[in-house]
Amino acid sequence: MESAATRLAGVEDNIARMCRVARRDRDEVTLIAVSKTHPPEAIVPLLETGQRVFGENRVQEAQGKWPALREAYPDIELHLIGQLQSNKAEDAVELFDVIHSLDRLSLLKALAKAMDKTGKRVPCFIQVNIGDEEQKGGCPIREVPHFITEVRDADIPVEGLMCLPPAGIEPAPFFALLHKLAEDNGLGGLSMGMSGDYETAVQLGATHVRVGTALFGPRS
Ligand SMILES: *Cc1c(COP(=O)(O)O)cnc(C)c1O
C-alpha cells in the first residue's frame, strides 16, 4: 500500500495541475482531508507531512478523536462536512472551525443560539440540494437567496455554498450550477468535489475540496 505521504503528494499534484489548467492560484483551493472512520494512527502520518485541514462528518466521532490530536498539533483546522442535528449544534460550534452543512431554518436557529452562548462565530457554508433530490439534505435552489439573508441576519458568517451532486452521473453541470448560484449571490466560497471528482471541481471553481478515500484508502 502507498504511504499517506505519497497519496497526499499525488492529490496535491492533481490540484496544482488543475489550477494551472484553469489559470487559478493554488492558494485559492483548500484541501480538506476527510478522516471520518479513520483512527488517529491513520491521521498522524498526514499531520507529519504537514497537512493541517481535516474534515469529519459526525460530531461524536470527532469529539473522540480530535482534542488529543489538537494538543499535539495546535494549528489544526477542523471542518464539519456531514449532516448536523440541531441538538448537536453547540458541540459542533465548540469543536469545529468551519461548518459545511447549514441547510435549514431549525439548524440556523440552533447554531445562532450556540454561537451567541459560546461567543464563537463559526463560518458556515450553506449546503444546497443541487440535484433537487428528495432524499438528500440541502437548501432547495429557489430558497437559497432568502436563506442566505436569514443566515446573515442571525449574524452567522456565510463562507459560501456547498453541494454533493447526485451519485452516478456526471457532476460537472452541478458544480457549474453551484458556482453560478454563488456568484449570483455574491459569495466566494465553493465547497465541492470529493475523491472521484475533485479535479473537475477545481476546474469549475471549487475553493474547498473534501477528499477522503484518495488520501486514506477505502473506508471499512
Ligand atoms: C465522506 C465525504 C467526503 C469524502 O468522500 P471520498 O469519496 O472518500 O473522498 C466528502 N464530502 C462529504 C460530505 C462526505 O461525507
Side-chain angles (χ1 to χ4, degrees), residues 32-212:
I32 303 171
V34 178
S35 48
K36 65 186 186 196
T37 79
H38 296 290
E41 305 84 81
I43 297 171
V44 167
L46 277 189
L47 284 162
E48 284 296 313
T49 64
Q51 176 68 27
R52 285 296 179 272
V53 185
F54 290 85
E56 292 280 343
N57 73 334
R58 294 184 58 222
V59 175
Q60 216 172 344
E61 181 188 341
Q63 282 173 321
K65 276 172 12 188
W66 287 96
L69 288 167
R70 265 194 168 141
E71 286 204 2
Y73 304 87
D75 53 345
I76 282 169
E77 188 180 301
L78 203 54
H79 292 237
L80 179 64
I81 59 168
Q83 280 235 345
L84 177 58
Q85 292 169 330
S86 296
N87 63 3
K88 298 264 173 67
E90 196 175 323
D91 289 338
V93 164
E94 276 170 358
L95 183 61
F96 289 94
D97 301 298
V98 184
I99 294 172
H100 290 241
S101 47
L102 174 49
D103 65 349
R104 60 193 189 279
L105 192 58
S106 54
L107 180 58
L108 183 169
K109 288 182 174 159
L111 284 171
K113 198 171 148 202
M115 289 186 203
D116 289 342
K117 188 173 165 194
T118 57
K120 182 181 172 197
R121 315 302 308 177
V122 179
C124 291
F125 285 87
I126 293 171
Q127 183 174 350
V128 180
N129 187 351
I130 202 71
D132 196 17
E133 297 174 282
E134 234 167 64
Q135 77 286 6
K136 234 183 216 167
C139 178
I141 290 172
R142 68 181 176 283
E143 292 173 17
V144 166
H146 181 61
F147 194 55
I148 291 170
T149 306
E150 288 183 306
V151 176
R152 287 195 169 132
D153 286 349
D155 205 18
I156 296 177
V158 183
E159 186 85 10
L161 302 180
M162 177 271 209
C163 78
L164 277 162
I169 55 174
E170 170 58 46
F174 299 99
F175 292 156
L177 181 58
L178 194 74
H179 192 165
K180 168 122 192 349
L181 207 54
E183 247 174 26
D184 289 351
N185 288 283
L187 294 174
L190 277 178
S191 169
M192 57 189 198
M194 321 197 333
S195 290
D197 53 23
Y198 68 92
E199 291 153 289
T200 307
V202 168
Q203 277 191 284
L204 290 167
T207 60
H208 293 71
V209 291
R210 311 177 307 264
V211 179

